[in-house]
Amino acid sequence: MAAPYEAIVIGGGHNGLVCAAYLARAGKRVLVLEQRDRIGGAAVSEQLFPGFTFSVFSYVVSLLRPEIIRDLELPRHGLHVLPLESTLTPLPNGDYLAQWNDHDQNRRELARHSLRDAEAYDEFGRLMHLMSRAIKPILGMPPPDPASLLPRDLMGMGRLGKYFRDLGAERFHALHKLLTMSSADYLDEWFETEALKATKSASGIIGALLGPRSPGSAYVLLHHYMGELDGVFRAWGFAKGGNGSVSTAIAAAAMSFGATIRTNAPVSQVLIKNGRAVGVVLNDGEELRAPITISGADPRRTFMQFVGAQHLPNELVDGIRRFRFRGTSAKVNLALSEAPNFTCMPGVGAHLRGAISISPSVDYLERAYDDAKYGEFSRRPYMDIILPSMIDPGMAPPGQHVMSIFAQYAPYDLKGGWTDAKRAAFGDTVIDTLSEYAPNLKTSILHRQVITPPDIERMIGLTEGNIFQGELSLQQMFFLRPIPAWARYATPIEGLYQCGAGTHPGGGVMGASGRNAALTILGKMK
Amino acid sequence: MSAPIVVIGGGVDALVAAHWLARAGESVTMIDERGQVPSSTSGWIPPEVIRRLDLAAHGLVIGAPDPWLSAPLPNGGRLDLWRDSARTANAMRALSAPDADRWPAFCEQMREHAAVLAALYSAPAPDVMTRDWRELLHVAKIALRTRRLGRARLESFLRLVPMSIADLLDDWFESDLLKGVLGAAGVMHLHQGPRSGGTALAFLHHHVGNAPGVFRPSHSNIEAVLARCSGVDRRANVRIQQIDVQAGRVTGVTLVDGTHIAATLVVSAASPWQTLLDWVDAAWLEPDAIRAIRNIRARGVVAHVVLTLDRAPGFAALAIAPSLDYLERAYDDAKYRRISHAPLIEARYVAPSGADATHAVIVQMQFAPYLLAEGSWDASRKQALVDTVIAAVANHLPRDAILSTQCVSPADAATDDGFPAGQAHHAELALDQFLWMRPTPSLARYRTMIGGLYLCGPAMHPGAGTAGASGMLAAQTVLGDRGQQR
């Protein structure tokens, strides 16, 4: 009797779901296994407190590849993205810096701080736009293996070489700088307003144990602009109903193509017979068989937990041991009785429908990083805040609000380890810091949830709580992600593939890893 | 007879360029703004330079102290790192047996990786964007040679390049002290801490040309040797007013005293900043070019303290860098424009030579940022720095042996040596200022936007603490261009 499934996907995160959807769309019988009671992984919406719905972990949409939205017809399956219109950076002196989507309004605001920066802003935007267009095709490409002599890889390297050369010298050199510089140094070449440099460079440190002055942080800046140029989304957006809507839309698409999704089905190991993956075993002992198994979990869980070192070559085990996670990002979710009232911009206005960034200066961010370097959480953390209920009133009871605070740094390897008291102390630090800018915050908190990197690891299985399934540093990117030679979604175990953010091109709710993996697998199944 | 060539600037690259050109039959005038030539120069000398300029016959001595480094142990003793890796491993065993076991393999891998760099440093940086088929052939050859390393070595090399030295050392070792003293080589002259990406490359860069298992640049008397060689008209202690340009081509150099030296070719080993922004009339440069030069990152972080002694100290080279965290905290201070309260210290013994009968210890102290958050590099601050240094080495160097002290701050280095912001490397060694990006893409091949004006020196590939390589490559470029014109 033929196995009921042709492919089993471990993990119902967005990449696993995207991979399953593409396979099902190509007519394959696919089963997705999710350990939790709900799909989505780090892209979930949950009603944590009666009436208050949260995007518990990831909270904005922007990087999701437009080809995925198109191919899977996600809007038809319920994805509706509302734009975030601004970024407000409150300053300790009572002033603020606001960045608006509206060009003229933005220019006026920048000119208030620096005429020179207002002039440079458009030129900067133009270059970043060109750069993100330049990097885009690379995201959708399984990386060629530079050490291989296979015609496929030689041609891949050749194509890549030609691609870079066709960019022209100016763009190639600009790309080289973006890939290697620190975000603070890169922005220093353009701007002089401290809050502008800090707020922009903050996007370079997200999810990383890096400061804005650490080389390598400039690349992540680019991600912000990739989101802005896709025709579908004008800017960073918020999924109606929370980020869980992204997952449920992808899942709906997958199911419409015939995929099966099982929740409460935690996998304990990949079943290996004669060096081949033949299926999985669940925690309760149930065996499920399929000729192809695809793991959406991060590389360490996939190889060390589901497969086991005894089945793997030493180089791979060493490589996984050296692959760095070091989660540093925490999340504080608040249910509020009223909207926060920012001293610098009082009242309820358009600024509350955008992002609020606590990043007054590059030194502020750098000091927050200094604490983390030596194993402490930041005494004055960097924060990226949104108020989903301001954009989508369905998220909270009328007049009340939900607030999503992304906070850094909260290092996984905290000195002395994370305890309940430490978690509470970190939550207090976040709220105290934010209260300096919005004094009514403290008295309006009805409920709070603080999620540290160890919590992320425990709740959704991301190793060391790294939100990108592994640091997005240069030495862990492209054909080095997660390890050289196994960066093309395949593994040394025949029939076993990887499709998580731990593979190229990596983190953010992007879906590209899932799609690239599916296309690679379909190419082999033919 | 061919038109004269003027070589500007002191330093080893200017000397090598001048003598290389003179050997090729050019008439060369060298304008050295410095008064005297240092007796010791650090960095890798390409074998071609030694051969072509007959340096061995002229008395070149490359120092090889053994142990090449000593580091104080927390309990009072010292860890000695020897040129013989087995002996080093033996010395390390007391600190950590696993580290001692890994030492030979680490040394071997770093030797292999540094050999890749040495090959890259023996030719101009590959121009990957060129349409010239000869250059493309050169790029293809490099790619092929790199490929021949084999999978494991190629992958480990590519992974190493963007890494931080802390991550690299954490992959190999467990001893804080060992990681500290090795990590110090990765941040030397850099405004970076050991956790910053690109510092593993800097570590490897300074290993090029060194004996396996020796991770400090070697010192030689190359400048003194070249200054003694004949064939170049060398004018020392003169100040340059401007580089004269007509119709986009150099015509010579004018000195502060009004002297005009006519030349059809000028090779400058001064920084791109000084050469192009200070000495060339801005009217000859595009605004984009000016902006690119201003954006070259150069931030001085090193102060030197010279101690003269009445006796030899008990070490050849001493490093105070007890851990990676220690280095990182020293850098933290610099980040906020403060002098490190607990600095990285590298002390090197210089034995008496010739007429000079005193012993000396040259201390390189990091981090001493050029720009300070408060105050300036005045006499009292320099005295405080000297006191810090003396206190730090007190256990290894008796205070009563010190005859005199002298401090060269980054501000002094900027004024006296023309180092941009006191940065001896003119352009920091970083991935975005490396190979075809060094110091800017349009200047990377030693030619400038002014006809007949060339650059060499620390800012130019491979630069940054190598000795004479950029001088040689610039001279070869000049000769190649001359050959085409004829």
Side-chain angles (χ1 to χ4, degrees):
Chain A
M1 193 192 95
Y5 300 110
E6 289 164 283
I8 292 174
V9 177
I10 305 173
H14 73 282
N15 273 313
L17 293 169
V18 165
C19 183
Y22 272 91
L23 293 177
R25 184 167 165 261
K28 308 296 173 195
R29 298 186 304 277
V30 188
L31 171 67
V32 180
L33 298 171
E34 166 57 40
Q35 57 164 346
R36 294 186 76 203
D37 60 353
R38 66 192 69 220
I39 54 133
V44 286
S45 306
E46 289 182 45
Q47 200 175 93
L48 294 175
F49 313 106
F52 296 93
T53 306
F54 292 85
S55 297
V56 181
F57 306 98
S58 71
Y59 56 99
V60 280
V61 199
S62 160
L63 303 174
L64 190 60
R65 304 308 306 152
E67 55 271 24
I68 295 175
I69 297 172
R70 212 165 43 233
D71 291 347
L72 303 183
E73 299 182 71
L74 296 185
R76 195 166 67 81
H77 291 289
L79 180 66
H80 183 39
V81 178
L82 306 160
L84 288 169
E85 283 163 13
S86 60
T87 302
L88 176 74
T89 309
L91 302 177
N93 65 3
D95 197 358
Y96 61 86
L97 170 81
Q99 296 172 71
W100 303 96
N101 280 359
D102 180 87
H103 179 266
D104 291 344
Q105 191 181 6
N106 191 53
R107 197 184 161 84
R108 274 198 304 278
E109 165 67 3
L110 283 176
R112 193 169 69 82
H113 294 271
S114 154
L115 265 178
R116 209 192 87 176
D117 287 0
E119 292 296 326
Y121 197 88
D122 287 347
E123 177 63 17
F124 178 79
R126 191 190 65 88
L127 185 73
M128 295 302 274
H129 178 95
L130 284 173
M131 290 300 98
S132 35
R133 282 234 310 246
I135 200 99
K136 225 174 117 169
I138 295 171
L139 300 180
M141 168 198 284
D145 177 355
S148 152
L149 290 168
L150 293 176
R152 177 194 72 190
D153 289 305
L154 288 177
M155 273 169 62
M157 288 303 286
R159 264 201 306 275
L160 199 66
K162 183 178 180 320
Y163 177 75
F164 280 120
R165 288 169 50 83
D166 289 347
L167 286 178
E170 189 201 0
R171 273 189 266 175
F172 174 73
H173 293 138
L175 194 59
H176 181 138
K177 286 181 129 184
L178 265 177
L179 281 171
T180 53
M181 283 178 83
S182 79
S183 50
D185 284 339
Y186 191 79
L187 291 159
D188 268 340
E189 294 191 359
W190 288 89
F191 303 115
E192 59 186 16
T193 306
E194 203 45 46
L196 179 64
K197 287 194 279 192
T199 305
K200 288 216 172 284
S201 65
S203 55
I205 58 173
I206 287 186
L209 189 59
L210 292 176
R213 290 188 217 279
S214 309
S217 53
Y219 168 71
V220 188
L221 265 183
L222 199 55
H223 273 251
H224 261 67
Y225 284 82
M226 282 189 252
E228 286 186 9
L229 94 153
D230 293 337
V232 183
F233 301 139
R234 258 172 45 251
W236 282 72
F238 173 80
K240 191 165 164 47
N243 251 16
S245 312
V246 177
S247 309
T248 49
I250 301 169
M255 287 189 287
S256 77
F257 299 126
T260 310
I261 298 171
R262 268 181 69 180
T263 51
N264 293 314
V267 169
S268 72
Q269 68 179 92
V270 172
L271 211 67
I272 293 168
K273 291 270 153 72
N274 304 322
R276 250 202 83 92
V278 295
V280 299
V281 184
L282 301 186
N283 277 0
D284 62 9
E286 183 185 352
E287 286 190 10
L288 293 158
R289 303 230 170 192
I292 286 177
T293 305
I294 307 149
S295 173
D298 66 63
R300 194 188 288 170
R301 280 190 92 204
T302 300
F303 291 111
M304 297 297 117
Q305 186 178 333
F306 297 153
V307 175
Q310 72 276 17
H311 294 291
L312 297 165
N314 287 338
E315 302 84 62
L316 185 138
V317 175
D318 281 349
I320 294 298
R321 192 171 45 80
R322 284 196 298 250
F323 191 72
R324 288 187 163 82
F325 293 90
R326 298 189 285 209
T328 55
S329 315
K331 191 79 190 295
V332 177
N333 293 316
L334 299 179
L336 303 177
S337 60
E338 59 175 345
N341 194 13
F342 282 88
T343 316
C344 68
M345 210 182 254
V348 175
H351 63 286
L352 296 183
R353 285 193 291 275
I356 293 146
S357 179
I358 303 301
S359 51
S361 70
V362 172
D363 275 0
Y364 177 96
L365 302 177
E366 197 65 39
R367 285 181 207 278
Y369 166 56
D370 287 348
D371 290 332
K373 277 198 299 201
Y374 307 112
E376 307 289 345
F377 61 70
S378 305
R379 280 163 290 184
R380 301 182 59 81
Y382 158 65
M383 291 175 228
D384 185 53
I385 300 151
I386 66 167
L387 286 148
S389 49
M390 285 295 301
I391 310 161
D392 176 3
M395 302 289 284
Q400 304 190 318
H401 290 282
V402 286
M403 181 184 258
S404 155
I405 307 172
F406 171 93
Q408 232 171 273
Y409 302 75
Y412 178 81
D413 281 318
L414 195 70
K415 217 178 256 172
W418 282 97
T419 58
D420 288 349
K422 287 268 181 68
R423 186 197 296 112
F426 181 70
D428 291 346
T429 301
V430 164
I431 287 161
D432 289 345
T433 307
L434 190 53
S435 298
E436 290 171 23
Y437 301 97
N440 72 331
L441 180 72
K442 263 188 199 168
T443 52
S444 59
I445 298 173
L446 302 172
H447 308 278
R448 86 172 191 188
Q449 179 196 36
V450 181
I451 305 172
T452 64
D455 297 326
I456 297 177
E457 181 177 62
R458 182 176 44 79
M459 291 161 83
I460 48 175
L462 291 171
T463 296
E464 295 185 17
N466 186 294
I467 60 173
F468 296 145
Q469 286 200 354
E471 290 184 354
L472 265 183
S473 50
L474 260 187
Q475 67 266 25
Q476 299 194 159
M477 267 163 56
F478 205 45
F479 55 80
L480 298 170
R481 190 171 186 86
I483 36 168
W486 302 108
R488 295 177 61 94
Y489 312 102
T491 71
I493 311 286
E494 212 186 320
L496 177 67
Y497 293 84
Q498 330 163 57
C499 74
T503 61
H504 170 78
V509 185
M510 193 190 274
S513 294
R515 178 176 183 266
N516 288 353
L519 297 183
T520 301
I521 294 162
L522 289 172
K524 292 205 177 147
M525 283 172 99
K526 266 175 202 156
Chain B
M1 167 153 176
S2 54
I5 295 178
V6 167
V7 175
I8 296 176
V12 59
D13 291 306
L15 282 161
V16 166
H19 284 277
W20 193 284
L21 292 166
R23 290 233 162 191
E26 304 288 344
S27 110
V28 180
T29 301
M30 192 177 162
I31 303 173
D32 191 344
E33 293 204 309
R34 300 174 308 173
Q36 58 184 30
V37 170
S39 58
S40 151
T41 305
S42 85
W44 171 64
I45 309 169
E48 258 182 287
V49 168
I50 299 179
R51 221 169 24 239
R52 178 73 173 257
L53 302 181
D54 275 335
L55 293 180
H58 286 95
L60 178 73
V61 180
I62 300 175
D66 202 19
W68 57 269
L69 198 68
S70 305
L73 289 167
N75 60 15
R78 271 193 215 154
L79 170 69
D80 288 324
L81 301 172
W82 304 88
R83 304 186 83 79
D84 174 11
S85 83
R87 196 173 173 192
T88 304
N90 223 18
M92 274 160 50
R93 204 157 289 280
L95 279 183
S96 155
D99 288 2
D101 291 339
R102 287 192 201 107
W103 181 250
F106 177 77
C107 295
E108 174 59 14
Q109 196 177 101
M110 293 307 122
R111 185 193 65 76
E112 287 172 359
H113 289 347
V116 180
L117 290 188
L120 278 172
Y121 291 175
S122 303
D127 178 3
V128 287
M129 299 307 283
T130 186
R131 302 276 164 192
D132 179 347
W133 65 270
R134 277 168 309 187
E135 182 60 27
L136 278 175
L137 208 69
H138 172 65
V139 173
K141 266 189 201 154
I142 293 175
L144 220 72
R145 195 171 47 214
T146 317
R147 285 285 304 269
R148 275 209 300 269
L149 288 173
R151 173 178 287 282
R153 278 188 281 169
L154 174 65
E155 286 168 357
S156 121
F157 180 75
L158 292 174
R159 184 169 167 271
L160 180 147
V161 167
M163 266 179 125
S164 75
I165 186 65
D167 282 351
L168 176 71
L169 295 171
D170 282 342
D171 278 352
W172 285 89
F173 303 116
E174 59 176 26
S175 152
D176 283 339
L177 177 65
L178 181 64
K179 289 192 276 190
V181 295
L182 293 177
V187 297
M188 209 152 280
H189 285 286
L190 284 178
H191 191 274
Q192 301 289 356
R195 288 180 212 279
S196 302
T199 47
L201 174 71
F203 174 79
L204 207 55
H205 173 88
H206 295 301
H207 186 47
V208 170
N210 259 331
V214 177
F215 297 100
R216 284 298 184 278
S218 56
H219 287 80
S220 69
N221 60 348
I222 181 171
E223 283 184 80
V225 167
L226 282 170
R228 282 200 306 267
C229 287
S230 58
V232 169
D233 167 25
R234 182 164 167 272
R235 303 188 195 176
N237 232 341
V238 286
R239 287 270 168 201
I240 292 162
Q241 177 69 37
Q242 65 167 32
I243 294 172
D244 304 312
V245 182
Q246 271 173 26
R249 279 202 65 86
V250 285
T251 56
V253 176
T254 302
L255 304 181
V256 169
D257 65 13
T259 317
H260 175 74
I261 303 170
T264 51
L265 287 174
V266 172
V267 182
S268 172
S271 70
W273 184 291
Q274 201 168 24
T275 305
L276 292 163
L277 300 185
D278 287 353
W279 291 335
V280 172
D281 191 327
W284 296 110
L285 302 174
E286 299 285 338
D288 275 356
I290 294 177
R291 194 172 82 158
I293 295 166
R294 285 192 194 285
N295 280 337
I296 297 173
R297 251 172 313 111
R299 297 165 290 188
V301 288
V302 170
H304 283 100
V305 173
V306 182
L307 307 172
T308 53
L309 309 174
D310 63 4
R311 67 197 96 148
F315 57 82
L318 182 80
I320 299 179
S323 69
L324 290 169
D325 271 359
Y326 179 93
L327 297 177
E328 191 68 35
R329 287 184 199 277
Y331 162 61
D332 286 347
D333 285 328
K335 236 167 32 174
Y336 307 109
R337 299 184 174 179
R338 295 190 301 258
I339 299 170
S340 305
H341 63 281
L344 160 63
I345 283 182
E346 301 258 340
R348 191 169 59 84
Y349 170 53
V350 182
S353 67
D356 187 4
T358 53
H359 303 265
V361 164
I362 299 178
V363 179
Q364 186 174 315
M365 184 275 195
Q366 206 170 326
F367 293 81
Y370 172 78
L371 284 177
L372 296 169
E374 284 167 35
S376 63
W377 279 104
D378 54 18
S380 67
R381 194 175 292 265
K382 281 161 69 172
Q383 188 53 50
L385 189 139
V386 169
D387 294 343
T388 308
V389 165
I390 292 177
V393 297
N395 288 340
H396 312 274
L397 196 158
R399 208 173 270 251
D400 63 0
I402 300 170
L403 301 175
S404 71
T405 65
Q406 190 204 341
C407 172
V408 182
S409 74
D412 298 331
T415 319
D416 301 343
D417 300 316
F419 292 169
Q423 169 56 262
H425 290 170
H426 291 190
E428 285 167 43
L429 180 72
L431 275 175
D432 61 301
Q433 301 191 140
F434 190 55
L435 297 180
W436 53 81
M437 304 294 284
R438 188 168 185 85
T440 72
S442 64
L443 296 174
R445 297 302 288 258
Y446 311 103
R447 301 178 189 96
T448 66
M449 41 298 257
I450 311 291
L453 177 59
Y454 294 79
L455 293 172
C456 65
M460 307 303 294
H461 169 83
T466 62
S470 78
M472 168 186 83
L473 296 170
Q476 287 173 341
T477 305
V478 168
L479 294 171
D481 289 357
R482 273 226 147 159
Q484 278 185 356
Q485 279 163 19
R486 282 196 185 123

